[in-house]
Each structure stands twice: as structure tokens, then as C-alpha cells.
Amino acid sequence: MNSIYGYSEDMLKQYLISLGEKPFRSSQLIEWIYRHKISSFDEITNIKKDLIKKIKEDFIIDSLECVTYQKSTDGTCKFLFRLSDGNLIETVLMNHDYGYSVCVTTEVGCNMGCAFCASGMKKKLRNLTTSEIVLQVMMVSKIAEVRVSHVVVMGIGEPFDNYDNVINFLKIINHPLGLEIGARHITVSTCGLVDKIYEYSNFDLQVNLAISLHAPTNEIRDKIMPINHAYKIEKLIDAIKYYIEKTNRRVTIEYILISGLNDTAECANKLCDLLHGLNVYVNLIPYNEVIEKPFKRSKKEDMVNFFDILKKRRINVQLRKEQGGDIDAACGQLRSKHMNK
Ligand code: SAH
């Protein structure tokens, strides 16, 4: 039985056509599922009974079991969900002044092996299906009773290592009759799977791209991000340039500040050299320490110094305000804790 949440409008249309039905019924279905948030197909009033019966044979309206959630004093809420096969995933809801944003997980575990990251301590067991990613947004919105306006694909997993399901997810949450999350309000973050960045550049939705760069040189990046052995920084920058050319969109560069590793004035200057002339926005992120890892967060004055150098050299930059520091907000920490219990 297929989850209805895994079906984009095109797929629903194909399904309806295969039954000899009018394809426009896909719009009706989408409205019922995502606007009225029905939990049974029997709640649908404008589709004839025998078609409903057929749909019920082919699809289920499923959900995710919420195992626990932790609420931070700043309003950030972290959810632990259990999938139908028993695997656990994390989803985070953030309350910003511009609206509610959900951070979704795309894989059970992660194979990218970034040295500083808690997610990678558990190897990837499988990709999430499209419906499991869509359901995270649905469930969080239902449980917290909020309208989600923004989505960041920055939870556990490497989205471009589960490319097709993530693309399908983006189409579904963007649908104007469904969750209607604007493409400009969606950001996909990658550690730098260069081939997929090229592919994503040609994707027809105007969705944002963020790159986890975290180092200005191959020497440093090699030490903390194994993906850098496959795609060197120069190749990554070429792909970023291509994306900007193709889409005319600004790229976010994520840079976590780790004490003594990538936070020196020399690193800041090298980063400016690397990004000079590119339409990018640098997000400096204080490192969230992970007990099992040796890395330490940069000192406040080093962070400010780093920020000032970028500012002076006219790079668009912000020092990210932290959220959820009191609730294991670092990627994979809640899941990891729960699994170790
Ligand atoms: N795999 C994707 C998306 C998931 S990680 C990617 O690499 O972009 C989302 C972001 O959180 C990445 O920039 C990642 O490097 C960063 N991150 C991972 N662990 C962190 C930690 N302990 N503190 C701060 N940022 C962290």
C-alpha cells in the first residue's frame, strides 16, 4: 500500500488517468490531504464513492509516531519520530520572526562522515521515502498547531545522496493547493555533492541552495569532511558558480566555527579570497559541541574577529543566532541519545 504523501501532483494525475478518471481530481485530492488534513478518504465529499473506494485500495493516509519532543526556552522544538520499520528520526521546528520553519531529516543515519557531526556517528541505514519526509512537515504542523512557512533540508542525512525523493518532496510541499511552501522559502543544504549541484541547478523550482563549506582550503577541509577527497574545493566553487549563473540566486555558505581549526584571521582572509565576487551569503555558525567529538566551539572574540574580517572585505555575512542550545539541537544528538539508552 502506498502512502498518499509520497505522490506529487503529476504522479496522482498519472494514477487517475490510468483509472480512466479526470486528471483534475488530483487537485481535489491534494486540497483534502494537505488543507483539510483528513485522516480518512471517507471525509472527502466531492469525489464519487466508487473512486474513493478504489483510492482506498491503493493508498493509505499514514502518519509518524511521535516518540518524544523537547521544547527549548526560545520556542525551538525538537521531535523524535519512529518510522514504520522502527527507525528513529529527528525533526526540528523553529519559531522565527518571519514564521515557522521546519528542519527535515532525509536519511536514517548519514554516510558523509563529517568529523565534527553527531549524525555521521550512525551510518546510513536507508534513504527516507518521499512520504516520510513530507510527513515530518505535516506532523510537526499538526502537533504544534502552526502553519509552516519555511522548510530547511538540513536535518540528518545528505539530501543529495537521496536526490530523487528529496526533489519529489520539494514539489509536494510547494504545491499551491497543498502546503504551499514557497520555493523561495525552502533551502536544501549539501556537504557538496558536485554532480548533484549541477543537476539541482537545472531543477525548475526556484529553491535555495546552501553549501556546508566549513573550511577555506583543501588542507583543512580534507581533515574534517571526507567528501572533499572526492570533490575538491575548486570543483565545488565551479558548481556553485554554475548554480548562480543558471538560477540567478544567491547561495548560502555555511561555515561552522571550530576553535583553532578554521577560525583564525588567516582562515577568514582565505575564505574572502575564495568567495570574492560570488553572489553568496556566509552564515557563520557557532559549533555545537558533541560529547564524543574532540572539537570545541570558537571563543566569542575569535568569532567576532572572523565576522569583522569578512564584513570589512565586503562579504555578505551573518553570525548565526543560536537556537535550541538547551535541547540537544546539534544534528543527531537527540536520536543518538535515545538509541544509546
Ligand atoms: N548533509 C547536509 C545537511 C545536514 S547537516 C549538509 O552537510 O549540509 C546541516 C548543517 O549542520 C551542515 O552545515 C552541517 O555541517 C552542520 N553541522 C553538523 N554538525 C554540527 C554541529 N555539531 N554544530 C553545528 N553545525 C553542525
Side-chain angles (χ1 to χ4, degrees):
M1 192 90 89
N2 295 313
S3 167
I4 193 77
Y5 297 107
Y7 275 63
S8 64
E9 174 159 46
D10 285 347
M11 291 161 81
L12 286 173
K13 276 190 175 147
Q14 274 171 24
Y15 167 76
L16 290 161
I17 290 168
S18 77
L19 297 180
E21 294 289 341
K22 298 273 185 305
F24 75 83
R25 300 224 177 269
S26 61
S27 310
Q28 294 174 318
L29 272 172
I30 288 169
E31 267 192 296
W32 283 105
I33 297 294
Y34 296 101
R35 288 288 168 91
H36 302 293
K37 299 187 168 53
I38 55 169
S39 47
S40 157
F41 290 113
D42 292 326
E43 293 171 52
I44 298 176
T45 54
N46 56 356
I47 296 180
K48 56 187 190 294
K49 286 279 179 286
D50 52 339
L51 179 54
I52 294 288
K53 186 165 169 274
K54 180 74 188 121
I55 291 172
K56 277 167 75 177
E57 282 165 21
D58 294 328
F59 294 101
I60 43 164
I61 303 177
D62 52 346
S63 63
L64 301 175
E65 179 197 343
C66 182
V67 179
T68 181
Y69 61 88
Q70 295 179 329
K71 203 165 178 168
S72 160
T73 44
D74 62 23
T76 302
C77 196
K78 189 159 204 169
F79 298 81
L80 189 72
F81 291 115
R82 186 177 287 118
L83 306 174
S84 55
D85 64 358
N87 279 309
L88 298 171
I89 57 164
E90 293 180 6
T91 308
V92 182
L93 174 70
M94 288 160 289
N95 184 3
H96 298 291
D97 43 14
Y98 51 77
Y100 284 95
S101 167
V102 170
C103 175
V104 295
T105 283
T106 54
E107 301 176 338
V108 179
C110 180
N111 276 343
M112 296 300 116
C114 297
F116 48 81
C117 177
S119 307
M121 297 190 309
K122 305 269 187 261
K123 284 282 151 246
K124 171 164 151 180
L125 297 178
R126 66 171 175 90
N127 286 329
L128 291 197
T129 60
T130 298
S131 63
E132 287 167 336
I133 313 175
V134 173
L135 268 169
Q136 293 174 57
V137 182
M138 286 300 287
M139 296 297 300
V140 163
S141 152
K142 251 191 198 172
I143 297 170
E145 297 180 332
V146 296
R147 152 132 170 72
V148 175
S149 59
H150 291 67
V151 165
V152 291
V153 185
M154 295 189 184
I156 294 175
E158 168 49 49
F160 284 177
D161 199 23
N162 182 13
Y163 190 80
D164 294 343
N165 289 343
V166 167
I167 292 292
N168 210 16
F169 159 75
L170 299 176
K171 287 182 195 162
I172 292 170
I173 61 168
N174 174 250
H175 197 285
L177 294 174
L179 292 171
E180 203 188 2
I181 297 169
R184 286 175 173 75
H185 290 178
I186 302 173
T187 303
V188 178
S189 174
T190 177
C191 66
L193 271 61
V194 164
D195 296 355
K196 295 296 177 195
I197 296 174
Y198 283 103
E199 208 172 324
Y200 186 71
S201 306
N202 295 312
F203 175 44
D204 45 13
L205 287 187
Q206 292 279 297
V207 186
N208 300 303
L209 174 67
I211 303 285
S212 297
L213 186 63
H214 305 329
T217 63
N218 284 318
E219 197 196 345
I220 302 175
R221 203 164 190 264
D222 276 341
K223 281 189 203 153
I224 52 173
M225 299 180 73
I227 190 69
N228 204 63
H229 300 301
Y231 302 107
K232 292 292 164 206
I233 287 185
E234 298 73 32
K235 292 269 179 264
L236 182 54
I237 295 290
D238 284 347
I240 294 170
K241 279 184 188 156
Y242 180 82
Y243 172 90
I244 295 170
E245 235 168 64
K246 248 351 244 196
T247 64
N248 231 337
R249 302 191 64 68
R250 173 182 289 180
V251 171
T252 300
I253 302 290
E254 293 159 282
Y255 195 102
I256 46 179
L257 290 161
I258 301 176
S259 184
L261 182 88
N262 65 357
D263 65 345
T264 60
E266 191 191 348
C267 281
N269 277 302
K270 283 189 172 153
L271 184 62
C272 295
D273 296 340
L274 187 68
L275 301 179
H276 178 78
L278 287 181
N279 184 18
V280 294
Y281 188 88
V282 178
N283 215 343
L284 295 176
I285 308 161
Y287 177 60
N288 248 319
E289 291 177 15
V290 178
I291 304 164
E292 296 88 344
K293 305 279 181 187
F295 304 103
K296 293 277 168 256
R297 167 179 300 198
S298 299
K299 293 195 202 77
K300 184 88 200 161
E301 66 257 35
D302 292 336
M303 294 201 254
V304 171
N305 190 32
F306 200 100
F307 172 86
D308 286 344
I309 292 172
L310 267 62
K311 221 47 261 149
K312 243 181 235 142
R313 292 194 52 188
R314 296 177 178 281
I315 300 280
N316 295 306
V317 60
Q318 74 160 0
L319 189 55
R320 181 146 102 193
K321 189 180 102 212
E322 262 188 289
Q323 287 199 314
D326 53 334
I327 55 159
D328 305 314
C331 316
Q333 280 188 330
L334 178 61
R335 170 169 182 261
S336 177
K337 240 190 207 174
H338 214 84
M339 289 173 73
N340 292 337
K341 262 189 203 162

